[in-house]
């Protein structure tokens, strides 16, 4: 239907009536938004109408604004090459609107110009269109708005963003105009009203593949950026950290130690559990620093490390912030700085847990903190493979030592789990026995950590551990519940391909236990069955359905619960098959 709609509107776009034209633009704007790309073949029919409404002396301000906002939607939702034949006729009226006395038209025109710059020279794919002749049209109009002091706030911000885009895409064509323009950015950085927009524009320019030379403004700009990390404005802190990160990556050879120091001084205060996202972005930046300037890390290791360790020991740490800390620790041990070597970090990470039983110890850590510490321990071991065997040995000894506190045993098993998931620990002969002995521990936490360890160590070596685990489940009724939890870990964490050879054995074993009188055990069996079905849904879902008419109500409820575990938040291959059997 699109061709017939365009055909009907094409003539009306040059209609005398402003109301008709506004209606056309409104309809086309909706169409371009709902079906991105649908107007690609009709651009030649639409451009004359847009140019007419922009250039026509009798057009009202609203008419121009509507034409510009439709053009913006059109440029955003279609591939750049469809516009290239029309740039010559499009640019002059748009640039003329940047100089319009009415601020709303100016503001909309700057937004369109910013998008046009990306269209004229897209840097993410090869492009034959020659953008150079158009720089002299784009640049002066935008520069005039960037320099003007007495204009509307929105126009100021859009002029900064638009000029940022021009430098990002066309900076190599600006020759002598580049440096004076960057100096204006420096002025805008000092102004409270425009600083956030300027930080974002500088981030964009610094990431340009054209390698724009920002050195002349870095000396003065870096301390200003550092000072923003002290401000209360959260968005400014986050944008500044992103800007500093890209500047350090792209201009590492031009930054003086004093510039880096000014930033380092501000970082410890940003790392706190009160704002996990700011902490995460700050730690990502620290990781960049550790990779680019390993020598600067010794200056901050004390204060920053204390804050980061406090986060690791916090019950709130998870997800992105935890991953950022793991990356940071790996970068840190690779800097080979004596003060933060492998053994020193291990000591500081685990100290609160080893001292938790002694008199005068700090408050015991939250359960979540043990998992965080274990993940960090595993990350350090993978960064320093030479140290790993000794670490594994130490945890095995901690796990089997009857004098270890339950906190130390929990940490030992969780750390073995995290290390075992990615490395094959089969060389450790006594590991199986130590884990199985822990299943008899009086502490529920230790039992659960040992079960988690058995599952994860099996993921790292299915061939040796999985048959052993299945045999134990069959022959040890007392440990069955814990062993089934281990099996659940194996099914959840192993890649489908490596599980396939064992599916039949696991399936048969689970169905033996789905009538168990103990409800807790049945629930774990159901979760295992559901997650196992995801390994090969086309074959296993019908087999699961076949068990529904089973005589035993326990078995039926287990099968229904199993289906619950085949439903995930993210799209899965099983979704189409599930539609047929639910409802």
């Amino acid at each position: 239907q699109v061709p017939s709609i365009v055909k009907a509107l094409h003539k009306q776009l040059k209609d005398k009536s402003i109301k008709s034209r506004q209606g056309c633009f409104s309809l086309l704007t909706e169409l371009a938004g709902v079906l991105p790309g649908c107007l690609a073949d009709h651009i030649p029919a639409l451009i004359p109408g847009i140019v007419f409404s922009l250039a026509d002396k009798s057009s009202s301000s609203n008419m121009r604004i509507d034409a510009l906002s439709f053009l913006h939607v059109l440029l955003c939702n279609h591939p750049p090459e469809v516009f290239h034949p029309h740039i010559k006729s499009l640019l002059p009226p748009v640039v003329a609107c940047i100089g319009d006395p009415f601020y709303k038209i100016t503001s909309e025109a700057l937004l369109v110009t910013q998008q046009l710059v990306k269209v004229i020279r897209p840097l993410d794919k090869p492009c034959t269109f020659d953008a150079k002749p158009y720089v002299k049209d784009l640049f002066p109009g935008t520069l005039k708005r960037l320099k003007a002091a007495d204009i509307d706030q929105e126009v100021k911000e859009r002029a900064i963003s638009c000029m940022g885009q021009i430098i990002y895409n066309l900076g190599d064509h600006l020759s002598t105009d580049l440096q004076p323009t960057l100096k204006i950015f420096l002025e805008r950085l000092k102004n409270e009203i425009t600083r956030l927009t300027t930080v974002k524009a500088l981030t964009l320019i610094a990431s340009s593949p054209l390698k724009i030379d920002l050195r002349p403004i870095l000396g003065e700009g870096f301390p200003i950026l550092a000072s923003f990390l002290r401000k209360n404005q959260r968005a400014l802190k986050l944008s500044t950290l992103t800007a500093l990160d890209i500047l350090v990556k792209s201009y590492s050879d031009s930054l003086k130690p004093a510039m880096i120091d000014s930033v380092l001084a501000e970082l410890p205060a940003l790392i706190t559990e009160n704002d996990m996202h700011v902490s995460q972005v700050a730690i990502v930046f620290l990781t960049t620093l550790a990779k680019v300037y390993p020598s600067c890390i010794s200056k901050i290791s004390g204060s920053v490390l204390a804050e980061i360790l406090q986060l690791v020991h916090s019950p709130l740490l998870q997800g992105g912030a935890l991953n950022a800390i793991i990356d940071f620790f790996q970068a840190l041990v690779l800097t080979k700085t004596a003060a933060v070597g492998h053994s020193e970090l291990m000591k500081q990470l685990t100290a609160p847990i080893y001292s938790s039983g002694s008199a005068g110890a700090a408050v015991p850590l939250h359960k979540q903190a043990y998992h965080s510490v274990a993940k960090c321990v595993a990350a350090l071991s993978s960064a320093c493979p030479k140290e790993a065997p000794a670490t594994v040995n130490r945890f095995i000894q901690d796990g089997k030592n009857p004098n270890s506190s339950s906190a130390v045993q929990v940490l030992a098993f969780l750390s073995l789990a995290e290390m075992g998931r990615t490395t094959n620990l089969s060389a450790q002969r006594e590991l199986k026995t130590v884990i199985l002995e822990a299943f008899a521990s009086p502490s529920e936490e230790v039992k659960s950590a040992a079960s988690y360890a058995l599952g994860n160590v099996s993921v790292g070596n299915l061939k040796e551990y999985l048959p052993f685990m299945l045999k134990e489940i069959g022959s040890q009724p007392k440990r069955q519940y814990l062993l089934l939890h281990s099996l659940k870990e194996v099914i959840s964490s192993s890649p489908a391909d490596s599980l396939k050879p064992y599916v039949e054995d696991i399936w048969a074993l689970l169905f033996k236990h789905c009538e168990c009188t103990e409800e807790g055990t049945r629930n774990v069996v159901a979760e295992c069955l559901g997650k196992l079905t995801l390994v090969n849904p086309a074959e296993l879902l019908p087999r699961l359905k076949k068990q529904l008419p089973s005589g035993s109500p326990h078995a039926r409820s287990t099968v229904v619960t199993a289906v619950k575990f085949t439903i995930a938040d993210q799209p899965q291959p099983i979704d189409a098959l599930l539609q047929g059997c639910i409802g």
Side-chain angles (χ1 to χ4, degrees), residues 46 73 95 179 302 365 390 427 460 476 521:
L46 297 172
V73 171
V95 171
Q179 291 316 322
L365 291 182
Q476 300 285 344
T521 307

Side-chain angles (χ1 to χ4, degrees), residues 69-391:
S69 76
F70 165 59
L71 180 54
H72 184 249
V73 171
L74 194 66
L75 290 166
C76 290
N77 289 321
H78 290 79
E81 49 279 3
V82 298
F83 299 103
H84 290 162
H86 310 285
I87 296 294
K88 202 170 182 171
S89 56
L90 258 184
L91 250 187
V94 172
V95 171
C97 288
I98 295 180
D100 197 276
F102 184 37
Y103 75 94
K104 281 192 168 168
I105 293 181
T106 305
S107 168
E108 202 62 49
L110 283 164
L111 205 58
V112 171
T113 307
Q114 187 174 347
Q115 201 55 40
L116 267 174
V117 172
K118 297 184 198 173
V119 165
I120 290 174
R121 191 185 193 191
L123 294 178
D124 50 356
K125 51 180 172 185
C127 171
T128 51
F129 186 74
D130 180 18
K132 199 167 182 186
Y134 301 102
V135 177
K136 62 180 188 309
D137 294 333
L138 286 163
F139 180 76
T142 309
L143 182 66
K144 192 175 164 193
R145 286 298 176 181
L146 182 67
K147 280 179 173 170
D150 56 343
I151 45 175
D152 177 77
Q153 164 78 12
E154 189 179 84
V155 174
K156 274 186 182 143
E157 291 180 357
R158 287 188 173 172
I160 293 168
S161 304
C162 183
M163 187 54 91
Q165 196 72 54
I166 290 175
I167 297 176
Y168 173 89
N169 288 67
L170 303 163
D172 51 350
H173 294 326
L174 296 180
S175 59
T176 53
D177 288 323
L178 178 64
Q179 291 316 322
T181 310
L182 290 174
K183 285 277 189 293
I184 302 173
F185 274 112
L186 204 51
E187 293 309 310
R188 297 290 170 267
L189 205 54
K190 295 171 188 170
N191 181 330
E192 195 174 331
I193 293 174
T194 50
R195 64 191 180 190
L196 178 59
T197 313
T198 311
V199 169
K200 289 179 178 171
L202 285 172
T203 308
L204 179 71
I205 294 170
S207 64
S208 170
L210 304 174
K211 303 271 179 280
I212 307 297
D213 185 8
L214 286 178
R215 284 174 307 191
I217 62 163
L218 286 180
E220 203 181 331
F222 228 76
I224 298 175
L225 289 170
S227 72
F228 291 167
L229 297 176
R230 245 175 283 149
K231 305 288 184 225
N232 272 340
Q233 197 183 348
R234 187 168 180 268
L236 182 66
K237 277 184 197 167
L238 286 166
S239 295
T240 303
L241 283 166
T242 312
L244 288 167
D245 191 63
I246 193 90
L247 286 168
V248 166
K249 281 179 182 154
S250 308
Y251 301 91
S252 56
D253 47 355
S254 317
L255 301 177
K256 310 267 185 305
M259 291 152 97
I260 298 290
D261 291 349
S262 65
V263 172
L264 288 178
E266 307 296 341
L267 290 173
L270 297 179
I271 298 168
T272 147
E273 65 176 13
N274 299 336
D275 192 330
M276 279 297 183
H277 187 55
V278 170
S279 301
Q280 178 182 334
V281 181
I283 293 166
V284 168
F285 174 53
L286 272 167
T287 309
T288 301
L289 281 177
K291 288 175 181 166
V292 178
Y293 298 110
S295 56
C296 78
I297 289 299
S298 51
K299 295 178 191 165
I300 51 156
S301 52
S303 49
V304 161
L305 205 54
E307 300 296 342
I308 290 181
L309 288 166
Q310 214 162 345
L311 270 194
V312 175
H313 299 143
S314 154
L316 305 176
L317 181 67
Q318 54 171 346
L322 175 57
N323 292 335
I325 290 179
I326 288 172
D327 289 344
F328 174 67
F329 280 144
Q330 290 188 318
L332 201 54
V333 284
L334 296 175
T335 60
K336 304 278 190 288
T337 312
V340 285
H342 178 274
S343 56
E344 183 53 34
L345 279 174
M346 284 295 248
K347 201 162 91 193
Q348 293 192 28
L349 265 173
T350 56
I353 295 167
Y354 280 100
S355 63
S356 61
S358 59
V363 185
L365 291 182
H366 185 276
K367 203 164 91 180
Q368 174 61 33
Y370 287 86
H371 285 274
S372 303
V373 171
K375 284 191 159 73
C376 293
V377 163
L380 287 175
S381 297
S382 74
C384 307
K386 285 187 183 137
E387 314 282 350
T391 310

Side-chain angles (χ1 to χ4, degrees), residues 40-59:
D41 299 338
H42 308 289
I43 302 291
L46 297 172
I47 296 292
I50 297 171
V51 172
F52 175 71
S53 280
L54 291 179
D56 180 26
K57 291 280 177 283
S58 65
S59 283

